[in-house]
Amino acid sequence: MRDVTRQNIPDIILAALVAGGSVLLFIGAAELPAPRFEPLGSAALPRILGALLILFAVILVIRALLRMRAGTLRDETASQVDPRRGALVFVALVLYVAALDFGRVPFVPATTLFVTATGLAIGARSWVNLAVFAALGLVLSFAISTVLERFLYISIG
């Protein structure tokens, strides 16, 4: 097996797993009751999420296939994975869910802190990245909150 193929197989497997997960979302959304009062219904959010997951899986497969076709290897620094970063993201996710569920922390500050912590865990730790991820988290949390409250009629706190 060529090095290029071996290097891109994990991306294709990940895309297949993500697509499988989104199929489960679609199956679960099909079992939800039809909307009675709200325009989109309770199945809208799982369907939107499933569609986004499939979109990202397709992008991942296309990039892997293009790399395989061109015969180019990934950057050497990209293949050096640090498992501590993944553990930090997992810890941030657990703390985020616990803060929302048990601590009853409002959605916007909790999501802003989560995006900031995740961005700093994955990327370089600098003041510029701190400001960028904090701004991204704030904008993203307000956007999600607005869409959920105004279009889906879901109040998340």
Side-chain angles (χ1 to χ4, degrees), residues 80-141:
Q80 297 174 352
V81 177
D82 186 5
R84 291 176 293 185
R85 291 178 185 238
L88 286 173
V89 170
F90 180 72
V91 168
L93 178 63
V94 169
L95 291 174
Y96 173 64
V97 171
L100 289 174
D101 192 24
F102 304 123
R104 302 285 186 215
V105 176
F107 178 77
V108 172
T111 303
T112 302
L113 287 174
F114 172 69
V115 170
T116 304
T118 304
L120 291 176
I122 293 172
R125 291 172 188 93
S126 68
W127 291 109
V128 172
N129 275 353
L130 176 67
V132 167
F133 286 121
L136 176 67
L138 191 60
V139 168
L140 186 65
S141 63

Side-chain angles (χ1 to χ4, degrees), residues 3-82:
D3 286 339
V4 174
T5 305
R6 187 178 311 115
Q7 205 177 53
N8 289 299
I9 285 178
D11 285 347
I12 295 171
I13 292 172
L14 176 64
L17 290 173
V18 168
S22 63
V23 166
L24 291 176
L25 277 173
F26 287 129
I27 290 171
E31 295 176 359
L32 291 174
R36 291 178 21 199
F37 302 110
E38 63 270 0
L40 297 176
S42 58
L45 196 59
R47 287 181 180 144
I48 292 169
L49 182 60
L52 286 172
L53 286 172
I54 287 179
L55 173 71
F56 293 139
V58 167
I59 291 170
L60 192 61
V61 167
I62 289 172
R63 288 183 62 196
L65 292 175
L66 288 175
R67 278 194 308 266
M68 288 170 61
R69 183 175 177 203
T72 57
L73 293 172
R74 286 188 195 170
D75 186 14
E76 290 179 18
T77 58
S79 64
Q80 297 174 352
V81 177
D82 186 5

